[in-house]
PDB file of all heavy atoms in Angstrom:
ATOM      1  N   GLY A 232     -12.765  26.950 -11.054  1.00  0.00           N
ATOM      2  CA  GLY A 232     -12.707  28.429 -11.207  1.00  0.00           C
ATOM      3  C   GLY A 232     -12.429  29.131  -9.886  1.00  0.00           C
ATOM      4  O   GLY A 232     -12.594  30.343  -9.829  1.00  0.00           O
ATOM      5  N   ASP A 311       0.725  22.931  21.665  1.00  0.00           N
ATOM      6  CA  ASP A 311       0.001  22.668  22.906  1.00  0.00           C
ATOM      7  C   ASP A 311      -1.470  22.875  22.773  1.00  0.00           C
ATOM      8  O   ASP A 311      -2.015  23.361  21.785  1.00  0.00           O
ATOM      9  CB  ASP A 311       0.576  23.451  24.061  1.00  0.00           C
ATOM     10  CG  ASP A 311       0.479  24.919  23.860  1.00  0.00           C
ATOM     11  OD1 ASP A 311      -0.611  25.458  23.714  1.00  0.00           O
ATOM     12  OD2 ASP A 311       1.543  25.643  23.767  1.00  0.00           O
ATOM     13  N   PRO A 323     -11.734  29.420   9.560  1.00  0.00           N
ATOM     14  CA  PRO A 323     -13.080  29.556   8.998  1.00  0.00           C
ATOM     15  C   PRO A 323     -13.769  28.260   8.985  1.00  0.00           C
ATOM     16  O   PRO A 323     -13.173  27.238   8.884  1.00  0.00           O
ATOM     17  CB  PRO A 323     -12.798  30.004   7.586  1.00  0.00           C
ATOM     18  CG  PRO A 323     -11.434  30.746   7.625  1.00  0.00           C
ATOM     19  CD  PRO A 323     -10.669  29.928   8.599  1.00  0.00           C
ATOM     20  N   ALA A 407      16.249   3.885  16.860  1.00  0.00           N
ATOM     21  CA  ALA A 407      14.979   4.652  17.082  1.00  0.00           C
ATOM     22  C   ALA A 407      13.761   3.708  17.209  1.00  0.00           C
ATOM     23  O   ALA A 407      12.888   3.874  18.067  1.00  0.00           O
ATOM     24  CB  ALA A 407      14.764   5.668  15.976  1.00  0.00           C
ATOM     25  N   HIS A 423      26.223  -2.695  18.473  1.00  0.00           N
ATOM     26  CA  HIS A 423      27.327  -3.496  17.964  1.00  0.00           C
ATOM     27  C   HIS A 423      27.166  -3.850  16.467  1.00  0.00           C
ATOM     28  O   HIS A 423      28.037  -4.288  15.828  1.00  0.00           O
ATOM     29  CB  HIS A 423      27.440  -4.856  18.717  1.00  0.00           C
ATOM     30  CG  HIS A 423      27.426  -4.677  20.222  1.00  0.00           C
ATOM     31  ND1 HIS A 423      28.463  -4.017  20.862  1.00  0.00           N
ATOM     32  CD2 HIS A 423      26.538  -5.070  21.218  1.00  0.00           C
ATOM     33  CE1 HIS A 423      28.140  -4.028  22.188  1.00  0.00           C
ATOM     34  NE2 HIS A 423      27.082  -4.678  22.402  1.00  0.00           N
ATOM     35  N   ASP A 427      26.953   3.869  12.331  1.00  0.00           N
ATOM     36  CA  ASP A 427      26.547   5.212  12.376  1.00  0.00           C
ATOM     37  C   ASP A 427      25.987   5.600  13.799  1.00  0.00           C
ATOM     38  O   ASP A 427      25.471   6.720  13.978  1.00  0.00           O
ATOM     39  CB  ASP A 427      25.475   5.577  11.355  1.00  0.00           C
ATOM     40  CG  ASP A 427      24.248   4.702  11.418  1.00  0.00           C
ATOM     41  OD1 ASP A 427      24.349   3.583  12.067  1.00  0.00           O
ATOM     42  OD2 ASP A 427      23.205   5.054  10.878  1.00  0.00           O
ATOM     43  N   SER A 530       9.351  42.980  17.934  1.00  0.00           N
ATOM     44  CA  SER A 530       9.995  44.205  17.397  1.00  0.00           C
ATOM     45  C   SER A 530      11.203  43.861  16.505  1.00  0.00           C
ATOM     46  O   SER A 530      11.424  44.591  15.530  1.00  0.00           O
ATOM     47  CB  SER A 530      10.440  45.119  18.564  1.00  0.00           C
ATOM     48  OG  SER A 530      11.535  44.553  19.290  1.00  0.00           O
TER      49      SER A 530
END
Side-chain angles (χ1 to χ4, degrees):
D311 60 61
H423 310 297
D427 60 340
S530 64

